[in-house]
């Protein structure tokens, strides 16, 4: 989390949100604070997830649109969290910070299952197939979704502020900036229809779901936006390769990528037909994720906090962007 936001996020703000959702004010556990503050909270000994977002990251209307879509997917049988109302009957609550900005909060059900590390035995073809099945089901259902709020919509993919790379990356990274703009122009020319483009999660890596041994349960819809469905195929592949194949050579990475995709696509097609031209689009969306990851790492992690592993990752991503190469 940026240091300016950290300075505003006080115990009193957390307490106000716990109060308005009738959660235990003394018993809670912080789970994360990269782009949002995420807590496991409790009411009558039952666990919930409280997510707090600063207004510099998301507008109130954006969060409202997100949680409505998540509830819609939940109601259609997609394995995603249920969203709970506050004591005031709201699905998004707000509290003002001392500088006049706002924090927004929503409460979700806690996903069943457990997190699976990329090095775990369970990170295998059975999981990859379940991964594809879950995303295929989500894509099938999102085609029929209509936002109910006239003033609350999720952004289009190219409204993502991280794509303004010149705002975050070093000035010396001129080729990164040039190649990013060229890639965005190429993507903007891709055709759109309801079977290839819609509201999607955009960030379903292994850190954003739990696995119960049979199904995956997806959470963290903070980055959801209107995008090509093929991007939701590219992102699982991207992160599986990024973290599983850190030290692998090109042949090993290619072999694992094929293993992953074969199982993932088998599961996906059980629930939804593959989007037209997904194979042509896949390398483009893999390159796009390099851009957004490169940008967010510079935005969120101060120079003094970057360890050698992170610096190596930044170097590898930069090289791919400059060479117009994808990770697979």
């Amino acid at each position: 989390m940026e240091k300016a936001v950290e300075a505003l996020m006080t115990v009193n703000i957390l307490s106000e949100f716990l109060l308005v959702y009738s959660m235990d004010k003394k018993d809670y556990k912080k789970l994360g604070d990269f782009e949002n503050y995420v807590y496991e909270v409790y009411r009558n000994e039952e666990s919930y997830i409280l997510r707090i977002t600063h207004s510099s990251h998301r507008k109130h209307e954006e969060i409202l649109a997100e949680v409505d879509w998540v509830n819609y997917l939940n109601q259609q049988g997609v394995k995603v969290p249920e969203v709970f109302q506050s004591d005031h009957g709201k699905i998004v609550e707000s509290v003002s910070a001392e500088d006049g900005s706002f924090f927004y909060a929503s409460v979700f059900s806690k996903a069943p299952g457990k997190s699976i590390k990329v090095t775990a035995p369970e990170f295998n073809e059975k999981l990859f197939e379940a991964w594809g099945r879950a995303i295929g089901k989500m894509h099938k259902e999102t085609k029929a979704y209509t936002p109910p709020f006239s003033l609350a919509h999720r952004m289009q993919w190219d409204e993502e502020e991280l794509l303004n790379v010149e705002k975050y990356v070093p000035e010396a990274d001129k080729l990164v900036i040039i190649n990013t703009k060229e890639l965005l122009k190429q993507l903007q020319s891709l055709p759109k229809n309801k079977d290839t483009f819609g509201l999607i999660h955009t960030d379903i890596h292994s850190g954003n779901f739990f696995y119960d041994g049979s199904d995956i349960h997806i959470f963290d819809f903070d980055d959801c936006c209107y995008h090509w469905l093929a991007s939701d195929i590219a992102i699982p592949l991207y992160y599986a390769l990024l973290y599983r194949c850190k030290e692998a050579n090109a042949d090993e990475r290619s072999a694992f990528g094929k293993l992953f995709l074969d199982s993932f696509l088998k599961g996906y097609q059980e629930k939804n037909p593959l989007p037209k031209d997904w194979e042509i689009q896949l390398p483009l969306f893999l390159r796009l994720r390099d851009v957004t990851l490169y940008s967010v790492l510079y935005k969120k992690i101060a120079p003094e906090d970057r360890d050698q592993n992170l610096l190596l990752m930044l170097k590898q991503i930069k090289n791919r962007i400059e060479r117009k190469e994808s990770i697979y």
Side-chain angles (χ1 to χ4, degrees):
M1 188 64 67
E2 301 95 320
K3 296 187 185 302
V5 176
E6 284 184 353
L8 296 170
M9 179 60 189
T10 65
V11 173
N12 287 340
I13 287 173
L14 173 59
S15 296
E16 286 192 54
F17 285 132
L18 292 171
L19 179 64
V20 79
Y21 282 102
S22 293
M23 297 296 170
D24 190 322
K25 293 181 66 175
K26 295 182 179 180
D27 190 13
Y28 55 84
K29 183 191 306 179
K30 188 176 183 180
L31 302 178
D33 60 2
F34 186 60
E35 291 189 306
N36 301 280
Y37 293 96
V38 182
Y39 299 86
E40 182 170 347
V41 295
Y42 309 95
R43 181 171 60 205
N44 299 327
E45 299 185 356
E46 187 171 350
S47 297
Y48 298 85
I49 300 299
L50 169 67
R51 188 192 65 192
I52 301 175
T53 304
H54 188 250
S55 54
S56 63
H57 179 60
R58 297 283 181 236
K59 297 176 183 176
H60 177 267
E61 293 80 7
E62 290 179 292
I63 302 173
L64 190 63
E66 172 205 346
V67 295
D68 181 82
W69 181 54
V70 172
N71 247 356
Y72 166 83
L73 293 174
N74 179 276
Q75 292 163 5
Q76 305 311 308
V78 184
K79 296 184 185 303
V80 301
E82 181 180 358
V83 184
F84 295 97
Q85 293 184 346
S86 70
D87 295 348
H88 300 152
K90 297 180 180 180
I91 54 176
V92 180
E93 282 284 354
S94 63
V95 171
S96 60
E98 63 178 19
D99 69 342
S101 62
F102 287 89
F103 284 95
Y104 304 113
S106 293
V107 167
F108 305 88
S109 58
K110 184 181 179 183
K114 63 179 183 178
S115 177
I116 303 296
K117 294 183 178 180
V118 297
T119 54
E122 300 99 319
F123 198 76
N124 57 27
E125 293 94 323
K126 182 183 176 184
L127 171 61
F128 306 156
E129 191 172 328
W131 204 336
R133 193 162 50 242
I135 295 177
K137 170 70 172 172
M138 184 184 297
H139 287 179
K140 175 179 181 293
E141 300 302 340
T142 199
K143 293 175 186 179
Y145 175 69
T146 301
F149 306 110
S150 60
L151 297 178
H153 289 271
R154 293 300 293 185
M155 64 185 175
Q156 295 289 323
W157 71 277
D158 54 358
E159 295 176 297
E160 169 59 69
E161 51 122 12
L162 293 172
L163 297 180
N164 298 317
V165 290
E166 57 268 40
K167 183 177 178 180
Y168 301 112
V169 306
E171 287 185 25
D173 286 358
K174 293 181 180 179
L175 190 53
V176 168
I177 296 169
I178 291 170
N179 287 353
T180 294
K181 290 181 178 179
E182 182 183 301
L183 175 62
L184 296 181
K185 187 175 181 179
Q186 189 175 359
L187 289 171
Q188 285 161 346
S189 69
L190 295 178
K192 300 176 183 177
N193 60 59
K194 73 177 183 66
D195 293 319
T196 62
F197 189 92
L199 185 56
I200 66 170
H201 185 287
T202 80
D203 199 29
I204 308 178
H205 54 72
S206 59
N208 280 342
F209 66 75
F210 283 169
Y211 182 53
D212 65 10
S214 177
D215 296 306
I216 73 166
H217 301 261
I218 302 167
F219 46 81
D220 191 357
F221 285 73
D222 176 58
D223 290 330
C224 68
C225 70
Y226 288 90
H227 212 314
W228 285 272
L229 305 189
S231 178
D232 259 358
I233 297 173
I235 298 310
L237 173 63
Y238 179 92
Y239 283 106
L241 290 167
L242 185 72
Y243 293 120
R244 178 64 177 257
C245 301
K246 283 182 182 179
E247 300 175 4
N249 60 39
D251 289 340
E252 291 169 334
R253 184 182 299 111
S254 179
F256 178 78
K258 184 180 186 307
L259 175 74
F260 179 91
L261 268 182
D262 286 348
S263 298
F264 179 94
L265 296 176
K266 178 182 177 183
Y268 184 97
Q269 290 176 94
E270 289 180 19
K271 299 297 182 180
N272 193 57
L274 285 167
K276 184 180 179 181
D277 295 331
W278 72 271
E279 288 180 283
I280 298 172
Q281 296 171 1
L282 188 68
L284 300 177
F285 295 127
L286 292 173
R287 288 174 57 197
L288 185 68
R289 182 44 55 121
D290 264 340
V291 168
T292 54
L293 182 56
Y294 193 66
S295 191
V296 77
L297 291 174
Y298 270 107
K299 176 185 178 182
K300 293 289 184 180
I301 304 178
E304 63 270 19
D305 296 329
R306 297 171 195 162
D307 60 20
Q308 289 303 310
N309 288 333
L310 180 60
L311 291 172
L312 176 60
M313 181 187 291
L314 286 168
K315 180 180 179 181
Q316 291 171 339
I317 294 172
K318 178 184 177 182
N319 287 341
R320 286 197 296 268
I321 296 172
E322 291 183 337
R323 295 171 184 171
K324 302 181 184 180
E325 295 176 350
S326 69
I327 196 170
Y328 176 74

